[in-house]
Amino acid sequence: MSRFQLFLLVAAAWLAASCREAAEAPPVEFDVEVLNAFTPVKDQGSSPSCWAYAMLAAIETEHIMRGDSVHLSADYAVRAYLADGYRRCYLAGGEAEVSPRGTAMALIGTIMQYGLVTYDACHGSDGANTEVLARKLGRLAAMEARRRAGFGGSGCRLGSLLDENLGPVPRKVFMYGAEYTPQEFARSVCAPGEYVGLTSFTHHPFYADFALEVPDNRRRDLFTNVPIDTLVAVMERAVRAGRGVCWEGDTSEPGFSFGRGVATLPEATPVAQADRQRAFERFDTTDDHCMAVVGLARDAKGRRFFIMKNSWGTKNPFGGLMYLSEDYVRLKTIAVVVPREEI
C-alpha cells in the first residue's frame, strides 16, 4: 500500500468517526417561550434564494398572526429578480453580472415593482439551479446588447428561457372570490414602506440610513444603522408581538449546524459592538443566509435562543427550524427586516 493510499484510509476513518459522533450527539433540549405560527418549511434546493424564502416566510407569519393566512411564491419573486438583473445587464452592454443572490430587502423591492402571486399559482421550479440560469441570462443579455435588440426584441427569448427553467407565471391572482394583478396582490400582503431593514456597524453613524456594503445588496437597498443592543431588542420585541421578522447573517461558522438544529459560538461570552465590527471588517462575518425569526427559547443553562424558520427542508431534530443563541445573533447578524411599527 502506498503512503498516499494509507493517508486516504486514515482520512476516511477519521471522517466516518466524526460523522458518527455528530449523528450520535444528543439533540439539544429547549424551553420554548414564544413560537409564532408559520407556513410549512420549504426547501430552496440548489437555488441561493434564501432571501426570497425567508422574507416571504416573515410576511406569511405576519399575516397568520393577524388571522389572514397567505402562502406566497418564492419562485415568482426569484423569476422577477432574475429578469430585472437581465435588463440591468443588457443596459450595461452585457458587463453587469446577473445573479440569483440578494438580500431580504431585495425581496421587498422586487415585489413592489413586479408583484407577487400565491404559492399554489407558481411553485414549479423543482429546485432549479438558478445560478446556472443566471449565467445563461447574462450571456443572452450580452448577445442581445451587441445586437441592440431592445427589450421588445429580446423579450421572447428572455421569457422562453425563464419559462423553460422556472415554469410559466399567471397573469392574475384569484383569492377569496377576488381577482388581482400580481402588483395589486403584492400590495395587499405588503404595503409600500411596511418593512424596514436594520443593521449595526460603526463605519457609518448610528440612526442614519446607508446602502449596506455586502455583495448581495445588488439593488443598493438602504438599511437603518442602530446599536446592536437596539437591534436585538427590536427583534425580541417584534417576535413577542407576533410580528414577521427576517434575519440575515453568517451561517458558515463551525458552531452553525443544521444537522443539530443549533448555532452557537465556541464560548458563550458577551459580544460588544467592537467585536461585531472587527469580525465584519476581517470578513469573519459574511452575508451567507436569510431565515425568518419565529420564536424565542432558552436552553438548560438559561441562555436565550432565537428560533428561526430555515429553507433547507425538514430533516433536522426540529423539523427544519434552527435555534441561534443570542450571542451568535449579536456577533453574526448582518441585518434584520422588521415591520416599521416596531422601530
Side-chain angles (χ1 to χ4, degrees):
M1 180 181 297
S2 70
R3 182 176 300 177
F4 180 69
Q5 289 174 317
L6 179 60
F7 169 78
L8 289 179
L9 284 174
V10 172
W14 176 85
L15 180 60
S18 299
C19 291
R20 284 195 300 272
E21 182 180 352
E24 293 168 1
V28 182
E29 295 186 359
F30 293 98
D31 179 18
V32 175
E33 296 180 355
V34 177
L35 185 60
N36 296 326
F38 53 88
T39 55
V41 172
K42 312 294 191 306
D43 189 344
Q44 68 190 68
S46 58
S47 173
S49 306
C50 56
W51 53 274
Y53 283 87
M55 191 63 232
L56 289 178
I59 295 172
E60 290 167 348
T61 286
E62 176 78 13
H63 278 266
I64 293 173
M65 301 304 285
R66 295 179 193 171
D68 175 29
S69 180
V70 291
H71 202 180
L72 306 170
S73 171
D75 281 356
Y76 183 93
V78 171
R79 177 189 171 116
Y81 184 77
L82 287 170
D84 185 67
Y86 166 88
R87 286 183 280 270
R88 285 186 281 108
C89 183
Y90 174 90
L91 291 175
E95 296 300 321
E97 181 188 18
V98 182
S99 172
R101 299 185 63 89
T103 67
M105 288 302 292
L107 182 279
I108 300 296
T110 297
I111 66 174
M112 290 295 100
Q113 187 171 0
Y114 298 107
L116 187 62
V117 302
T118 60
Y119 177 81
D120 289 339
C122 182
H123 68 282
S125 68
D126 293 328
N129 191 324
T130 52
E131 290 189 298
V132 173
L133 173 58
R135 290 194 291 270
K136 292 179 180 178
L137 291 171
R139 290 194 293 269
L140 176 63
M143 181 183 70
E144 297 294 75
R146 288 193 297 270
R147 294 178 56 243
R148 302 187 180 187
F151 292 150
S154 62
C156 289
R157 293 182 181 86
L158 171 63
S160 296
L161 190 55
L162 291 171
D163 286 348
E164 177 185 336
N165 287 270
L166 300 178
V169 295
R171 296 184 178 182
K172 297 287 184 180
V173 179
F174 300 92
M175 180 170 282
Y176 303 127
E179 180 181 286
Y180 303 86
T181 65
Q183 288 76 11
E184 291 169 339
F185 181 69
R187 284 161 176 75
S188 75
V189 298
C190 180
E194 182 175 351
Y195 290 89
V196 62
L198 299 180
T199 191
S200 181
F201 294 110
T202 56
H203 63 287
H204 289 278
F206 287 140
Y207 308 108
D209 296 344
F210 74 97
L212 188 57
E213 302 99 336
V214 292
D216 290 345
N217 191 15
R218 299 173 186 279
R219 295 173 55 98
R220 305 294 293 166
D221 290 306
L222 298 179
F223 292 76
T224 301
N225 199 29
V226 298
I228 188 58
D229 290 344
T230 301
L231 185 148
V232 173
V234 169
M235 282 181 66
E236 180 182 348
R237 183 171 66 244
V239 171
R240 290 190 183 279
R243 309 305 300 270
V245 179
C246 185
W247 176 87
E248 190 163 344
D250 191 340
T251 59
S252 58
E253 296 300 308
F256 187 100
S257 170
F258 178 71
R260 298 186 68 216
V262 297
T264 57
L265 297 180
E267 297 181 3
T269 57
V271 176
Q273 190 79 51
D275 299 323
R276 284 180 47 78
Q277 189 68 28
R278 183 165 50 252
F280 183 68
E281 292 180 8
R282 294 178 178 178
F283 307 109
D284 293 329
T285 293
T286 52
D287 189 19
D288 299 332
H289 193 44
C290 290
M291 296 183 285
V293 190
V294 296
L296 299 165
R298 291 188 184 272
D299 68 3
K301 298 179 180 179
R303 296 181 300 177
R304 172 164 291 145
F305 285 71
F306 286 88
I307 308 173
M308 303 198 184
K309 177 189 176 186
N310 204 353
S311 53
W312 294 349
T314 60
K315 294 182 179 180
N316 79 357
F318 307 109
L321 300 182
M322 289 292 305
Y323 286 69
L324 276 63
S325 66
E326 183 173 342
D327 56 349
Y328 189 99
V329 169
R330 288 177 64 88
L331 184 62
K332 293 300 177 179
T333 295
I334 293 291
V336 297
V337 179
V338 298
R340 186 175 296 275
E341 299 169 359
E342 295 298 319
I343 304 302

